[in-house]
Amino acid sequence: MSIILSEYHSPGLSVNWTVKKVLYEQQSDFQQVTILDLEEMGRALVLDNIIQVTLKDEFVYNEMITHVPLFTHPAPERVLIIGGGDGGAAREAAKHATVKQVDMCEIDGKVIEACREHLPETSVSYDHPKVNLVIKDGVQFIKDHPNTYDVIVIDSSDPIGPAVELFGADFYNNVHRALKEDGLFVCQSESVYFHQHIIKRVNDALKQLFPITRVYTATTPTYPGFLWSYTMASKKYDPYDRMHVEKQAVQTRYYNHDIYNACFALPNFIKEGLE
Amino acid sequence: MSIILSEYHSPGLSVNWTVKKVLYEQQSDFQQVTILDLEEMGRALVLDNIIQVTLKDEFVYNEMITHVPLFTHPAPERVLIIGGGDGGAAREAAKHATVKQVDMCEIDGKVIEACREHLPETSVSYDHPKVNLVIKDGVQFIKDHPNTYDVIVIDSSDPIGPAVELFGADFYNNVHRALKEDGLFVCQSESVYFHQHIIKRVNDALKQLFPITRVYTATTPTYPGFLWSYTMASKKYDPYDRMHVEKQAVQTRYYNHDIYNACFALPNFIKEGLE
């Protein structure tokens, strides 16, 4: 028998991953939570039929959504991750010497259960002494923590299903309020090739609230369109000013400080799309 | 009826493109040459069932394989493109003010016929006054032109079928011989995520011949693994020394001089793979 996970990236493009084994499958209150062992990418967390992380490329996304904002803040101590249930972003954040506490707020306890059992490579962070894992709605959590965080990472799924509120203006207002006066945050803002309208909408909304907004990119083989965008919004620190500041060494597989300096260089068509 | 182009990127991953129309289909002496109109990517040149260029993303590859080497040479006049039958690389090369002649050597006349008829956006270069289109075996052509070129671009298909010789040590020797004493060349060197052994093999071979070899990357949605590598080998000019030199303006959709400076920043896992 041959099992295939088919993902529809657009009406004219589907991607088929050969499944070696289904390791976990549960319907939660929010979504269908599945762990698959994929022939090409190893074990993967799949939510509502969409790959979230795989062992073969999770390091790209988890390192880029974490180290870029954490190295933009000169001395981050308190970090909040909204979503990020696989634990990979928290694992990376905890590597920073200045970071004292990483609050990780995941809405879906089944995601935590599945990753704890089947993705120890990322969920290892759940028990890290710096990490405070909370199973709650991030939208409410962030309202309850004004003026608390140096860096917030919105590690959400796509803007459909449980994550839809995480792309709205109300939520961004609460993120702004939860940040300290020199705080900054980053969110994943979808595919450069397939979702340019989302990148523009996110950026337009954030420009209303923050003096500094910057888009950066990294390539992840399991995400639609493959060139993935991240949007950073900051009250004080500008990554452009931080490119030549000496930074702590950090053990990583994708990220390095040359990548930090390079990831903000945008192709012309993306720059034009943001105007 | 629904027609699908299925590409097998690896044993565990296939990518399915919905085909609106088959515009051209011929068996040449070398390969099956097809032009498809794809739902997601527009018209596409497909050789032996593998997408070579599509209208939606050809600019990424064609600009990056051309402008990066041409802006590394301070005043390129004579350029050779081996392969590149769609014409996109020649179109880009002809934009450079210093360039006087672009020899474009494509082995397969059927590719030229198909692209002339169905891909005017790239094949427009065939009739450009700077472009000299030659339908010949590039392996022989390069042997016949010692000490002739400032920049050579190897715009080949994958190292199977007609392009296999273009990845061999004998060929690289002839490229070295065809370059002037300060010449440089670039070749596409396959996918960062799926073909790391090819990147290493290409680089190891070129290091035997050239004092300077550099790898750079760009993301192309229609190529396997999506983060695509290019290897540059140079007799004299180092792109690292050219990053802050003022460069001519050029009308492009992906490339800009910030991208030039950024594209050589390699993720840790690629750097380690090259060691």
Side-chain angles (χ1 to χ4, degrees):
Chain A
M1 189 176 68
S2 179
I3 304 177
I4 300 290
L5 169 69
S6 277
E7 288 187 303
Y8 288 83
H9 287 190
S10 86
L13 169 61
S14 69
V15 175
N16 292 340
W17 302 96
T18 306
V19 177
K20 285 163 67 180
K21 201 166 181 186
V22 179
L23 296 168
Y24 181 101
E25 198 169 19
Q26 294 256 340
Q27 183 67 39
S28 77
D29 292 343
F30 307 99
Q31 54 207 342
Q32 193 190 35
V33 179
T34 316
I35 304 275
L36 303 177
D37 188 4
L38 301 177
E39 174 82 28
E40 178 60 42
M41 305 303 285
R43 275 167 282 131
L45 170 66
V46 180
L47 300 177
D48 285 344
N49 211 47
I50 298 170
I51 292 176
Q52 304 297 315
V53 294
T54 78
L55 284 191
K56 193 162 168 184
D57 72 351
E58 58 84 11
F59 65 101
V60 181
Y61 175 84
N62 283 319
E63 292 179 9
M64 289 301 283
I65 203 166
T66 308
H67 296 303
V68 176
L70 284 170
F71 281 119
T72 299
H73 195 295
E77 294 187 359
R78 190 89 188 262
V79 178
L80 170 62
I81 296 164
I82 297 281
D86 60 283
R91 178 193 67 200
E92 296 305 315
K95 290 178 181 174
H96 282 248
T98 60
V99 168
K100 290 178 178 158
Q101 183 170 333
V102 181
D103 293 336
M104 176 185 154
C105 182
E106 164 63 46
I107 198 169
D108 195 338
K110 290 278 185 205
V111 169
I112 301 297
E113 180 184 278
C115 295
R116 189 184 283 282
E117 195 173 335
H118 297 288
L119 294 179
E121 295 83 352
T122 55
S123 62
V124 60
S125 65
Y126 298 169
D127 301 316
H128 191 285
K130 288 182 181 178
V131 175
N132 169 40
L133 171 57
V134 182
I135 298 172
K136 267 196 186 144
D137 178 6
V139 172
Q140 188 55 48
F141 187 88
I142 214 159
K143 277 187 199 162
D144 298 339
H145 290 80
N147 195 31
T148 306
Y149 294 102
D150 299 305
V151 173
I152 296 176
V153 173
I154 313 296
D155 179 5
S156 75
S157 48
D158 299 326
I160 46 171
V164 71
E165 272 195 84
L166 305 182
F167 286 78
D170 278 0
F171 179 69
Y172 293 145
N173 267 309
N174 288 319
V175 170
H176 188 274
R177 209 167 133 264
L179 286 168
K180 291 183 190 159
E181 64 181 9
D182 62 348
L184 58 94
F185 96 101
V186 74
C187 60
Q188 68 87 355
S189 46
E190 303 287 301
S191 163
V192 160
Y193 287 105
F194 293 161
H195 311 128
Q196 233 185 322
H197 58 289
I198 298 178
I199 306 178
K200 173 143 174 64
R201 200 176 71 209
V202 166
N203 273 265
D204 287 350
L206 292 174
K207 277 181 192 154
Q208 305 299 314
L209 294 169
F210 291 85
I212 299 156
T213 62
R214 302 290 184 211
V215 173
Y216 62 96
T217 64
T219 301
T220 309
T222 46
Y223 292 164
F226 319 111
L227 185 57
W228 207 252
S229 77
Y230 305 79
T231 297
M232 187 192 291
S234 177
K235 292 184 178 180
K236 182 173 175 187
Y237 307 112
D238 187 340
Y240 291 7
D241 299 331
R242 299 282 303 164
M243 288 187 181
H244 302 290
V245 176
E246 203 183 335
K247 301 178 193 76
Q248 174 202 337
V250 66
Q251 192 69 36
T252 48
R253 292 168 62 199
Y254 186 97
Y255 176 89
N256 56 54
H257 300 323
D258 288 340
I259 291 285
Y260 181 95
N261 295 347
C263 69
F264 293 95
L266 297 180
N268 287 351
F269 77 100
I270 308 179
K271 290 203 276 192
E272 287 155 15
L274 284 169
E275 273 163 18
Chain B
M1 188 178 64
S2 178
I3 304 179
I4 300 289
L5 169 68
S6 278
E7 288 186 304
Y8 289 82
H9 287 191
S10 85
L13 169 61
S14 69
V15 175
N16 293 338
W17 302 95
T18 305
V19 177
K20 285 163 69 180
K21 201 166 181 185
V22 179
L23 297 168
Y24 181 101
E25 198 170 19
Q26 295 257 341
Q27 183 67 39
S28 77
D29 292 342
F30 307 98
Q31 54 207 342
Q32 193 191 35
V33 180
T34 316
I35 305 275
L36 302 177
D37 188 4
L38 301 177
E39 173 83 29
E40 176 61 43
M41 305 303 286
R43 273 167 284 131
L45 170 67
V46 179
L47 299 177
D48 285 343
N49 211 47
I50 298 170
I51 292 177
Q52 304 298 315
V53 293
T54 79
L55 285 191
K56 194 163 167 183
D57 72 351
E58 59 84 8
F59 66 101
V60 181
Y61 174 84
N62 283 320
E63 292 179 8
M64 289 302 282
I65 203 166
T66 307
H67 296 303
V68 177
L70 284 170
F71 281 118
T72 300
H73 195 292
E77 295 188 0
R78 189 89 187 264
V79 177
L80 171 62
I81 295 164
I82 298 282
D86 60 283
R91 177 193 68 200
E92 296 304 315
K95 291 177 180 173
H96 282 248
T98 60
V99 167
K100 291 180 180 160
Q101 182 171 334
V102 181
D103 293 336
M104 176 185 153
C105 182
E106 164 63 46
I107 198 169
D108 194 339
K110 291 277 184 204
V111 169
I112 301 297
E113 179 184 277
C115 294
R116 189 183 281 284
E117 195 173 337
H118 297 287
L119 293 180
E121 295 83 351
T122 55
S123 62
V124 61
S125 65
Y126 298 170
D127 302 317
H128 191 287
K130 288 184 182 178
V131 174
N132 170 40
L133 171 58
V134 181
I135 298 173
K136 268 198 184 141
D137 178 6
V139 173
Q140 188 55 48
F141 187 87
I142 214 159
K143 278 187 198 161
D144 298 340
H145 289 80
N147 195 30
T148 305
Y149 295 102
D150 299 304
V151 172
I152 297 176
V153 173
I154 313 297
D155 179 4
S156 74
S157 46
D158 299 325
I160 46 171
V164 71
E165 272 194 85
L166 305 182
F167 287 77
D170 277 359
F171 180 69
Y172 294 145
N173 267 311
N174 288 319
V175 171
H176 187 275
R177 207 167 134 266
L179 286 168
K180 291 183 190 159
E181 64 182 11
D182 63 348
L184 58 94
F185 96 102
V186 74
C187 60
Q188 68 88 354
S189 46
E190 303 288 302
S191 163
V192 160
Y193 288 105
F194 293 161
H195 312 129
Q196 232 184 321
H197 58 289
I198 297 178
I199 307 178
K200 172 140 174 65
R201 201 178 67 209
V202 166
N203 272 266
D204 287 350
L206 292 174
K207 277 180 193 156
Q208 305 298 317
L209 293 169
F210 290 86
I212 299 155
T213 62
R214 303 288 183 211
V215 173
Y216 63 95
T217 64
T219 300
T220 308
T222 46
Y223 292 163
F226 319 113
L227 185 57
W228 207 252
S229 76
Y230 305 79
T231 297
M232 186 191 293
S234 176
K235 292 184 178 179
K236 181 174 176 186
Y237 307 111
D238 187 340
Y240 291 6
D241 299 331
R242 299 284 301 166
M243 288 186 182
H244 302 290
V245 176
E246 202 182 336
K247 301 178 192 76
Q248 173 202 337
V250 65
Q251 192 68 36
T252 47
R253 292 167 63 199
Y254 186 97
Y255 176 90
N256 56 53
H257 300 322
D258 287 340
I259 291 285
Y260 181 96
N261 295 347
C263 69
F264 293 95
L266 298 180
N268 287 351
F269 77 98
I270 307 179
K271 290 203 277 190
E272 287 156 15
L274 285 169
E275 275 162 15

